[in-house]
Amino acid sequence: MMASRNQNRPPRSPATKRGDGDGVPLDKRRRVGAAAVKTGGGDRKPFGSINRKLDAAASSADASINDAAESICTEFTKEEVEALVNERPKMKRFDLKGNLEVTTELNSRLKLCLKWCQKREEGHVEEESKLRNALETCEKRCADTEMEMLRTEEVSRTTIADLTKELSSLKDKLSKEESEKLAATESYRMEREARITLESEKASLSKELEEANKKASLDADRHNSLKAYNESLQHYNTKLQSDLDATRDNLKRVEQEKAAVVENLSTVRGHKQSLQEQLAISRASQDEAVNMKHSLANEVKCLRGDLQQVRDDRDRQLVQVQALNAELLKYKENTGKSQAELDVLISRTKSLEETCSSQSQQISLLEQKLIAANEKSKTLDMTAAEAQTGFVEQRKIVSELQERLADAEHQLLEGEKLRKKLHNTILELKGNIRVFCRVRPSLPDDARTDTQVVTYPSSVESLGRGIDVMQNGQKYPFTFDKVFSHDASQQDVFVEISQLVQSALDGYKVCIFAYGQTGSGKTYTMMGRPEAPELKGLIPRSLEQIFQASQVLMAQGWKYKMQASMLEIYNETIRDLLSPNRSSSGDISSAPGKQYNIKHDANGNTQVTDLTVVDVSSISEISSLLRQAAQSRSVGRTQMNEQSSRSHFVFTLRIYGVNEGTEQQVQGVLNLIDLAGSERLSRSGATGDRLKETQAINKSLSCLADVIFALAKKEDHVPFRNSKLTYLLQPCLGGDSKTLMFVNVSPDPSSVGESLCSLKFAARVNACEIGVPRRQTNLRPAIAAADARLSYG
């Protein structure tokens, strides 16, 4: 984005950067309106007309090249891109026009290459999103198919288990009924044996009765009683005969029911033959009982014939007859009990037959269900086989998509590396130290005049880059890399530095500091108002971008570790703003603290001994630390500002990145500095402690100016150690860091003198050249140093 806003500015070449005078480049001398001076002496005329012609030619050439680039889609190979990035233009010493054309051509080719890389990256990102969507769709289909198969299999298993349990319960019931039937058959057999025993006893009694009748024939007096007895015996026999017929009918019915039961049981378990044998035995026993009854009837007939013979002996045998009658009564009671037991057995047999029939029906239904379940299981097996085949095909498709995704990610990583290289090449061509100017809005307390003190030129060359200051009717023009007017928002300012913040995540050292007089808006530019999203300053916005970009790069295999520290330099003394023993009153504290020492290692890394270093992983943690530091920072009241920052605030974020896939390691540092405001003692009215603070602030800023002037003149000795501020900023100003300075200007007419001093100082800073920034890729020393700092804390 900085490239698009600064493409009208002629790039610096080695010839234009190294002048014959004080080391100030030709374009920088033109901006500040200074005349070029030769080393050997003699005055030279300013090249104003020549520069205007060259700028017009450069702008027309850039416009024509941009039109041609937009109309032609150029393709690049990796070798061409690397050759283009590593190409250094050959500059002639005095051929300014030729050097401008060469640099313009190189810039146009780099822009074409960058656009091609962006298009390739967009294409890779789009293809990667398509492949990810296709992969997610296939995985979702496979998961749905597997879930459906599992549900179907679970239903089948449940059905089979229920059928198995029901079948086992029916088998148990059938076995119980068979055991009960066997017990009933056994009891029937015992009853039959008892009946046979009773018949044998009856036969013996009949024999005794014959003997008694023979003896009764001798007694004629007992004839009537015996006759009555015979009649009662005949009635009893008739009753027995009717009972025997009823029993026979019942037995026939039982026989039929048993046959049905035997047929039903034979279909279930094959016990038909055993039941038929038992039925044949029962029939034989019944036939024997009928034969015995017939024989008894014949015996009764014989007794009638022998009745005459018994009459003579009936008196004598009366006692014996009575005893026999008693025995006969016992026999009748036993017969009645046997009949009741037979009725019970018949009823139980009927209930067993009904139960067997119902169980037979249930068994048939269960067999049908089992057949249906088997068929369903076969169908499910076929469906599962088809689903398995489809799943294998989907898995092949998924593997192919994963391979394509891996290739796309590899191409994306290559494109990201190329983007970083081109991005940093463009920033190097713009210059490693740049200066932005910002004018704060007018406040109600500012003085009112008819003419504006600060104006902005409207020419094409200076639009957005120039600023004019009026003092005593004389106009002082200045040109910087970017000028923000009083109506520029915080977002507009941050957009211009976002690429520089990205460089810190790519492994470079980045330093952004705000300079200006008291009340010019430095703290508002750097911190703003974090509670209001639109008014947040550069520090909160930069940290949000860092964390958001690190989350995006996690998809490419990057893992980041970040450490934050905050300090202030007050009266040439370093104070730790994150120390737990630090006062949170927000006012100046004169209590003595630790002695902190600044150390620089061979790699250009800066360490402050015993300084609190905090591991951070989210923007919320950073916000909490910023609030703590804001409450601990030294502020005071002067005639120029109600709450003036009386110290230099330094925020440092160290970034350690590791890519496990490519085994690449980077270390970046982001320094965000809010300098104390410069002020004149005559205007600030400082006395006592405020006077000491003002003197310390002006001294440190004067040392900073001395360092900048020494760098501009390319002197052998640069006085970095003259103050704690310059010694702390040594790697940023004279090392391999990418540095950006914000010069803040007040539009108050009473502050014109301070504004001119600030702008002149910023112009000298813009004329400086520092070392080429290097990307730090060795992480082990950085991690060891971070661990050492943590152990000190």
Side-chain angles (χ1 to χ4, degrees):
M1 189 172 293
M2 288 184 180
S4 63
R5 294 180 180 268
N6 293 278
Q7 56 183 317
N8 291 327
R9 173 185 172 186
R12 301 189 184 102
S13 65
T16 58
K17 288 183 180 180
R18 294 187 297 271
D20 295 332
D22 57 353
V24 181
L26 182 59
D27 55 348
K28 301 297 181 180
R29 280 185 264 120
R30 179 177 54 81
R31 291 173 191 169
V32 299
V37 180
K38 287 188 175 181
T39 305
D43 296 334
R44 293 181 58 188
K45 295 182 180 180
F47 290 94
S49 59
I50 297 175
N51 289 333
R52 284 193 293 271
K53 292 179 182 180
L54 291 178
D55 292 341
S59 60
S60 61
D62 288 342
S64 61
I65 290 172
N66 289 334
D67 295 337
E70 292 178 356
S71 61
I72 300 174
C73 182
T74 307
E75 295 291 336
F76 291 88
T77 62
K78 185 176 181 182
E79 292 77 9
E80 292 176 351
V81 172
E82 292 179 352
L84 182 60
V85 171
N86 296 324
E87 181 179 353
R88 290 293 180 267
K90 297 180 179 179
M91 302 295 181
K92 296 181 180 180
R93 187 173 183 81
F94 299 105
D95 190 4
L96 297 178
K97 185 174 181 181
N99 294 340
L100 176 61
E101 291 177 355
V102 171
T103 308
T104 304
E105 182 181 0
L106 178 60
N107 284 339
S108 63
R109 291 167 61 192
L110 285 172
K111 290 177 183 177
L112 286 175
C113 183
L114 184 60
K115 289 182 180 179
W116 174 75
C117 291
Q118 290 176 351
K119 290 181 181 179
R120 288 289 302 273
E121 184 177 1
E122 291 175 358
H124 289 322
V125 171
E126 183 178 359
E127 184 178 0
E128 181 182 2
S129 63
K130 290 181 180 179
L131 292 175
R132 288 186 184 277
N133 293 332
L135 179 60
E136 291 176 357
T137 304
C138 293
E139 290 179 349
K140 186 176 180 182
R141 289 180 180 174
C142 294
D144 294 339
T145 306
E146 290 181 355
M147 291 298 295
E148 186 65 26
M149 291 173 61
L150 291 174
R151 285 196 295 268
T152 307
E153 185 179 359
E154 186 66 24
V155 171
S156 303
R157 289 179 179 175
T158 305
T159 305
I160 293 172
D162 294 339
L163 293 175
T164 305
K165 290 180 180 178
E166 191 173 357
L167 183 61
S168 62
S169 62
L170 290 174
K171 287 181 178 180
D172 295 337
K173 290 180 180 179
L174 183 61
S175 62
K176 290 180 181 178
E177 290 174 357
E178 288 179 353
S179 62
E180 290 177 356
K181 188 168 184 181
L182 291 174
T185 306
E186 184 66 21
S187 62
Y188 180 75
R189 184 182 62 78
M190 293 175 66
E191 186 67 24
R192 187 184 61 186
E193 291 177 355
R195 186 178 296 174
I196 292 171
T197 305
L198 290 175
E199 291 295 335
S200 61
E201 291 178 355
K202 187 177 180 181
S204 62
L205 290 174
S206 299
K207 291 180 180 180
E208 292 178 356
L209 185 59
E210 289 178 358
E211 292 178 357
N213 287 331
K214 290 179 181 179
K215 293 179 180 180
S217 62
L218 299 176
D219 194 353
D221 296 335
R222 298 179 179 176
H223 177 70
N224 293 327
S225 59
L226 289 175
K227 186 176 181 181
Y229 172 72
N230 287 330
E231 290 177 356
S232 63
L233 187 60
Q234 288 178 357
H235 287 299
Y236 175 70
N237 288 333
T238 304
K239 186 178 180 181
L240 287 177
Q241 187 66 32
S242 62
D243 293 339
L244 185 61
D245 294 335
T247 302
R248 188 177 296 169
D249 295 335
N250 291 332
L251 287 174
K252 288 181 180 180
R253 187 170 62 255
V254 169
E255 210 171 284
Q256 294 175 357
E257 292 174 354
K258 283 183 178 180
V261 171
V262 169
E263 290 177 0
N264 290 330
L265 292 175
S266 64
T267 59
V268 179
R269 295 296 177 192
H271 298 293
K272 181 177 179 181
Q273 185 175 357
S274 62
L275 293 175
Q276 287 179 352
E277 291 177 358
Q278 293 178 1
L279 185 60
I281 294 171
S282 299
R283 287 179 179 176
S285 62
Q286 288 177 0
D287 293 337
E288 290 178 359
V290 171
N291 293 329
M292 291 177 69
K293 287 183 179 180
H294 284 302
S295 63
L296 287 174
N298 294 328
E299 289 178 357
V300 170
K301 290 180 181 179
C302 293
L303 288 173
R304 289 177 181 177
D306 296 336
L307 184 56
Q308 189 64 31
Q309 297 177 1
V310 176
R311 290 176 182 174
D312 295 336
D313 296 331
R314 64 185 174 185
D315 293 335
R316 243 176 346 147
Q317 300 295 330
L318 184 58
V319 177
Q320 296 179 357
V321 170
Q322 291 177 352
L324 290 173
N325 287 332
E327 292 178 358
L328 187 60
L329 289 173
K330 291 181 180 180
Y331 172 75
K332 287 180 179 180
E333 291 177 358
N334 293 330
T335 304
K337 292 180 180 180
S338 299
Q339 187 66 33
E341 291 177 356
L342 184 61
D343 294 336
V344 172
L345 289 174
I346 290 170
S347 63
R348 291 180 65 184
T349 303
K350 289 181 179 180
S351 64
L352 288 174
E353 289 173 355
E354 293 175 355
T355 304
C356 288
S357 62
S358 64
Q359 290 180 354
S360 299
Q361 294 177 358
Q362 291 180 0
I363 289 171
S364 62
L365 292 174
L366 291 175
E367 288 177 351
Q368 293 176 0
K369 289 182 180 180
L370 185 59
I371 292 170
N374 290 331
E375 293 178 354
K376 190 174 182 180
S377 178
K378 291 180 181 178
T379 306
L380 291 175
D381 291 339
M382 295 176 64
T383 306
E386 295 175 356
Q388 186 69 21
T389 304
F391 178 71
V392 172
E393 295 177 355
Q394 293 293 334
R395 183 174 291 175
K396 291 180 180 179
I397 296 174
V398 167
S399 62
E400 293 176 358
L401 290 175
Q402 288 177 347
E403 292 177 357
R404 293 177 61 187
L405 181 61
D407 294 338
E409 289 179 349
H410 179 70
Q411 293 178 2
L412 186 61
L413 289 175
E414 293 294 330
E416 180 65 18
K417 292 180 181 178
L418 186 59
R419 181 200 66 77
K420 291 180 180 179
K421 195 171 185 179
L422 291 174
H423 166 70
N424 290 287
T425 301
I426 292 173
L427 291 181
E428 290 173 12
L429 290 175
K430 288 183 177 181
N432 295 321
I433 181 167
R434 286 175 290 159
V435 177
F436 288 176
C437 177
R438 186 179 189 186
V439 182
R440 72 161 173 82
S442 297
L443 301 177
D445 297 336
D446 294 343
R448 302 295 179 182
T449 58
D450 296 334
T451 59
Q452 292 184 353
V453 176
V454 178
T455 58
Y456 311 99
S458 59
S459 62
V460 177
E461 179 184 359
S462 301
L463 184 62
R465 300 175 58 241
I467 182 173
D468 298 335
V469 179
M470 299 293 296
Q471 185 183 30
N472 299 326
Q474 184 179 358
K475 183 170 68 174
Y476 295 90
F478 297 94
T479 304
F480 300 104
D481 293 285
K482 182 67 179 177
V483 174
F484 298 97
S485 62
H486 60 277
D487 56 353
S489 64
Q490 298 280 58
Q491 178 64 21
D492 297 336
V493 176
F494 177 71
V495 167
E496 293 294 333
I497 70 161
S498 59
Q499 293 184 355
L500 195 61
V501 174
Q502 178 66 33
S503 296
L505 199 63
D506 294 341
Y508 291 87
K509 295 178 184 177
V510 176
C511 178
I512 302 175
F513 64 94
Y515 176 88
Q517 70 179 90
T518 299
S520 60
K522 300 183 301 302
T523 304
Y524 178 77
T525 298
M526 298 303 293
M527 288 297 298
R529 298 177 184 172
E531 65 277 3
E534 297 83 4
L535 302 180
K536 289 188 293 188
L538 299 184
I539 294 178
R541 293 176 185 268
S542 300
L543 298 175
E544 288 179 359
Q545 177 182 343
I546 288 289
F547 282 104
Q548 291 174 1
S550 64
Q551 292 295 326
V552 173
L553 292 175
M554 286 179 63
Q556 301 178 11
W558 283 96
K559 292 183 179 179
Y560 289 94
K561 176 184 178 182
M562 302 183 189
Q563 295 178 335
S565 62
M566 302 182 197
L567 61 88
E568 68 173 355
I569 301 176
Y570 172 73
N571 286 348
E572 286 300 306
T573 303
I574 295 177
R575 293 182 175 182
D576 186 1
L577 296 179
L578 300 182
S579 175
N581 298 325
R582 177 72 173 168
S583 174
S584 60
S585 60
D587 199 356
I588 301 172
S589 175
S590 60
K594 294 181 179 180
Q595 294 296 324
Y596 300 96
N597 298 320
I598 302 172
K599 294 182 180 180
H600 304 298
D601 59 14
N603 296 324
N605 297 315
T606 303
Q607 297 181 8
V608 179
T609 59
D610 294 336
L611 187 67
T612 302
V613 180
V614 181
D615 290 336
V616 291
S617 59
S618 65
I619 188 63
S620 60
E621 296 179 1
I622 290 287
S623 301
S624 177
L625 296 177
L626 288 174
R627 286 193 295 269
Q628 178 182 348
Q631 294 175 358
S632 303
R633 189 178 178 186
S634 301
V635 296
R637 180 178 180 180
T638 66
Q639 292 182 5
M640 298 180 64
N641 193 357
E642 287 293 331
Q643 276 198 337
S644 175
S645 300
R646 313 306 294 167
S647 63
H648 306 298
F649 172 73
V650 180
F651 172 86
T652 303
L653 181 69
R654 293 175 177 84
I655 304 169
Y656 310 101
V658 179
N659 192 322
E660 297 179 353
T662 61
E663 297 183 355
Q664 188 177 6
Q665 300 175 347
V666 296
Q667 176 191 356
V669 180
L670 178 62
N671 292 306
L672 303 172
I673 304 170
D674 179 16
L675 298 178
S678 62
E679 57 188 26
R680 293 184 181 180
L681 294 176
S682 60
R683 291 198 61 202
S684 63
T687 58
D689 292 338
R690 296 294 182 271
L691 177 60
K692 294 180 181 178
E693 295 164 2
T694 303
Q695 292 173 349
I697 292 170
N698 291 337
K699 178 183 177 182
S700 62
L701 294 177
S702 177
C703 293
L704 179 61
D706 294 340
V707 168
I708 295 296
F709 295 157
L711 290 173
K713 294 179 181 180
K714 298 186 180 297
E715 295 181 356
D716 296 334
H717 173 68
V718 180
F720 286 111
R721 293 181 177 268
N722 286 359
S723 71
K724 294 287 182 67
L725 176 63
T726 55
Y727 191 50
L728 183 65
L729 297 181
Q730 180 177 353
C732 304
L733 300 176
D736 54 359
S737 175
K738 296 184 178 182
T739 306
L740 172 65
M741 171 182 169
F742 267 96
V743 54
N744 293 80
V745 177
S746 171
D748 187 4
S750 61
S751 302
V752 175
E754 287 80 1
S755 298
L756 284 174
C757 290
S758 298
L759 292 173
K760 290 178 181 179
F761 174 74
R764 296 298 297 269
V765 172
N766 204 19
C768 290
E769 295 180 6
I770 63 175
V772 178
R774 292 184 294 106
R775 187 182 186 189
Q776 296 195 6
T777 58
N778 187 8
L779 192 61
R780 294 181 180 176
I783 293 177
D787 294 338
R789 287 193 297 272
L790 290 177
S791 64
Y792 289 146

